[in-house]
Amino acid sequence: MMETLTTEFNKKELNRKLFRIASPIAIQGMVSATLSMVDNLMVGFLGETELAAVGVGAQLFMLHYMVLFGLLSGSATFMAQFYGTRDMKNIRKVVGFAFTLLSGLGLLFFILANGLTERVLSIYTADPAVRALAAQYVRINSFSFLLLAFSAPMEMAFKATQQVRIPMIVSTVVFSSNTVINYILIFGKFGFPKLGVAGAAIGTVSARLFEVALNAYFGFRQKNAFHGKVRSFFGWDPELIKRIVKNAAPTTINEFCWGFGQTMYVAAFNRIGTTAYAAYQAANSIFNIFNFASFSVGDAALILIGEKLGEGDKEYTWKLSKHIIKVALLVGLVIGAATVAVAKPVSGVFKLTELGKTYTFYILLVFGLTLILDLYTGVQIVGILRGGGDTRFAMFAESGCIWLVAVPLAFLSALVWHLPIHLALLMTRVESVVKAAILTRRYLSKKWMNTVIEDL
């Protein structure tokens, strides 16, 4: 059977399937990132302090999302491999278990956001004006932690079962409504009070409510691939749970360490100055449009590789992984070049000082020129290693590189060498070079190819 399957490797057919899966994910990411940039742009019109405050406040939400993404990535390996055998019953069990885990995680972060707000924010900024506005943003937006516990597992399940258009539709509706509500509440339009940063937080929570409603609608209708009664998502097999936890634990630690490391960049870069960090926040929100589009290749890789390993075809999986890497490098080159090309005109869209706009331009250049390297390592970790259940090695490779290389370089650049923000960011890119070398060796060993659902 394996020989028959491997002779059917067809690049044109694979490219069509890759495009069919990746393009809706890319559109979803671009919509989310574009509207997130619009949100930041709106807040940016209020001033650099307000923009910096939202950026600082967002760090706790990014950290939560990284842990959430880690738990879901570990679960998605099972969803994708079960889809390879069309085992919808166990897919529902995995979704239900993910929902339970994320409910506990959401409650923990909700308590943290409301009970230790000032203490947490003091890690990222010493500016009292920025910290006060950030605290307001965090407390209102903290309800998002609870709402994501339902919508995030549903979205991952849609992707793993290759229903990728549903998350695209949901995100377009949700984030469009977020922008409209933000516009009304941030600036006080149509008779509503001008709430500023608080208005941005209310808009985000409102959008998350829409997201829950839409995911419930699509997830529980009969046309859905994993449709079933609510109780069919629970009553888990102990062996299945044991394997999910074993696979998801390293992924969760990985994403927590990576996310916390990213927030340490904020702590370091904020010490350079509010203008420098506001520029970093502006550039990051612009670049995310390109970044989310490019990283759709990684999501598609996990889905396709997980499906083929679920079928038990390792030789086809190897050919598939090599092709995906080539596609990722091409995408990284093209989108990186596009980022560089538009860096100058888009760096002026935010209401920043001339120095802030200059910093934004240089930061975008750094992002664009190094995207191909980030995408290569990202596809290796998120798509290939996780698709094959090799989550422990991925954890050590990524967590070790960010904490032993990137974070120290960020603080040395800001506090010891006193580099400008764009050069400080460039120094942290050394981490990607080290990580790429480690991941390439692991990839060539083929030790990442595992069938995690065997005998279930």
Side-chain angles (χ1 to χ4, degrees):
M1 182 178 177
M2 184 175 292
E3 291 180 1
T4 304
L5 285 169
T6 54
T7 57
E8 294 175 359
F9 188 84
N10 185 310
K11 288 186 179 180
K12 288 185 179 180
E13 185 180 327
L14 175 58
N15 284 335
R16 283 195 294 268
K17 189 172 185 179
L18 188 59
F19 180 79
R20 179 174 59 81
I21 294 173
S23 56
I25 296 173
I27 292 170
Q28 176 199 2
M30 290 176 69
V31 167
S32 301
T34 301
L35 294 172
S36 177
M37 187 195 77
V38 172
D39 291 348
N40 279 318
L41 187 61
M42 290 179 190
V43 174
F45 278 120
L46 302 175
E48 288 183 348
T49 300
E50 286 79 2
L51 180 59
V54 171
V56 168
Q59 298 312 302
L60 188 60
F61 296 93
M62 189 189 81
L63 190 58
H64 167 262
Y65 186 78
M66 289 298 101
V67 179
L68 176 148
F69 183 68
L71 287 168
L72 283 182
S73 290
S75 303
T77 305
F78 289 83
M79 293 182 198
Q81 292 196 13
F82 278 132
Y83 186 68
T85 60
R86 300 302 186 266
D87 185 350
M88 300 303 165
K89 177 184 176 182
N90 271 318
I91 287 176
R92 289 195 294 273
K93 300 295 185 186
V94 177
V95 173
F97 184 62
F99 166 73
T100 304
L101 283 178
L102 295 185
S103 295
L105 176 70
L107 183 60
L108 175 63
F109 270 82
F110 180 80
I111 294 170
L112 183 66
N114 287 281
L116 299 171
T117 318
E118 294 288 342
R119 189 172 298 179
V120 171
L121 295 176
S122 65
I123 298 172
Y124 303 112
T125 180
D127 188 328
V130 171
R131 194 162 60 238
L133 286 173
Q136 186 182 42
Y137 178 83
V138 166
R139 289 191 180 103
I140 296 172
N141 203 9
S142 62
F143 291 95
S144 297
F145 295 134
L146 305 176
L147 298 172
L148 278 167
F150 175 81
S151 56
M154 296 299 290
E155 180 184 316
M156 183 63 79
F158 290 136
K159 290 179 180 179
T161 53
Q162 301 184 21
Q163 302 177 85
V164 289
R165 290 186 180 182
I166 294 176
M168 179 186 72
I169 293 169
V170 171
S171 69
T172 302
V173 173
V174 166
F175 288 99
S176 297
S177 64
N178 182 27
T179 298
V180 173
I181 296 170
N182 275 10
Y183 173 73
I184 293 171
L185 297 182
I186 290 172
F187 300 113
K189 302 296 182 179
F190 307 111
F192 285 86
K194 182 178 179 180
L195 299 178
V197 169
I202 294 170
T204 301
V205 173
S206 301
R208 293 299 180 194
L209 283 168
F210 281 123
E211 189 174 40
V212 168
L214 287 171
N215 277 311
Y217 167 74
F218 284 114
F220 291 103
R221 63 178 185 167
Q222 289 187 346
K223 291 181 180 179
N224 184 265
F226 55 88
H227 168 76
K229 294 181 180 179
V230 173
R231 66 172 177 269
S232 69
F233 288 81
F234 302 94
W236 312 303
D237 177 5
E239 180 60 27
L240 172 61
I241 299 309
K242 180 181 176 181
R243 292 194 193 184
I244 293 175
V245 171
K246 184 178 179 181
N247 193 62
T251 307
T252 306
I253 295 170
N254 180 351
E255 293 300 334
F256 176 81
C257 291
W258 186 88
F260 193 34
Q262 294 294 309
T263 69
M264 287 299 98
Y265 290 174
V266 175
F269 296 161
N270 244 307
R271 269 59 181 185
I272 297 175
T274 298
T275 297
Y277 177 67
Y280 175 76
Q281 175 70 6
N284 207 34
S285 63
I286 294 168
F287 177 64
N288 277 339
I289 298 171
F290 301 93
N291 201 30
F292 275 108
S294 61
F295 269 83
S296 63
V297 179
D299 288 338
L302 188 151
I303 293 166
L304 293 174
I305 286 172
E307 180 186 16
K308 282 300 170 184
L309 284 173
E311 293 174 2
D313 193 349
K314 291 188 176 181
E315 189 170 342
Y316 187 100
T317 301
W318 176 247
K319 291 181 179 180
L320 171 64
S321 68
K322 288 194 292 184
H323 185 71
I324 287 174
I325 288 173
K326 291 176 183 177
V327 172
L329 291 174
L330 178 61
V331 169
L333 184 64
V334 172
I335 297 184
T339 305
V340 171
V342 303
K344 189 65 175 178
V346 300
S347 61
V349 299
F350 283 87
K351 189 179 179 181
L352 301 173
T353 61
E354 286 305 312
L355 179 60
K357 291 176 182 178
T358 300
Y359 281 153
T360 303
F361 168 62
Y362 286 137
I363 292 168
L364 283 171
L365 289 183
V366 173
F367 280 142
L369 292 171
T370 58
L371 176 61
I372 188 171
L373 194 58
D374 284 343
L375 186 54
Y376 172 74
T377 58
V379 166
Q380 286 279 11
I381 288 175
V382 175
I384 294 174
L385 268 63
R386 290 184 184 173
D390 194 19
T391 55
R392 189 180 179 192
F393 184 87
M395 174 192 71
F396 284 119
E398 186 156 58
S399 302
C401 285
I402 197 161
W403 281 97
L404 298 178
V405 181
V407 171
L409 285 174
F411 279 98
L412 285 170
S413 299
L415 302 179
V416 179
W417 300 328
H418 303 292
L419 296 178
I421 182 71
H422 54 285
L423 294 182
L425 176 64
L426 182 61
M427 288 300 299
T428 65
R429 302 292 89 186
V430 173
E431 174 255 352
S432 294
V433 177
V434 176
K435 187 163 58 179
I438 294 170
L439 293 173
T440 299
R441 183 175 180 181
R442 182 65 169 187
Y443 170 73
L444 294 174
S445 74
K446 298 186 181 181
K447 292 179 181 179
W448 52 272
M449 288 193 284
N450 305 291
T451 304
V452 297
I453 64 170
E454 204 167 30
D455 300 323
L456 281 175

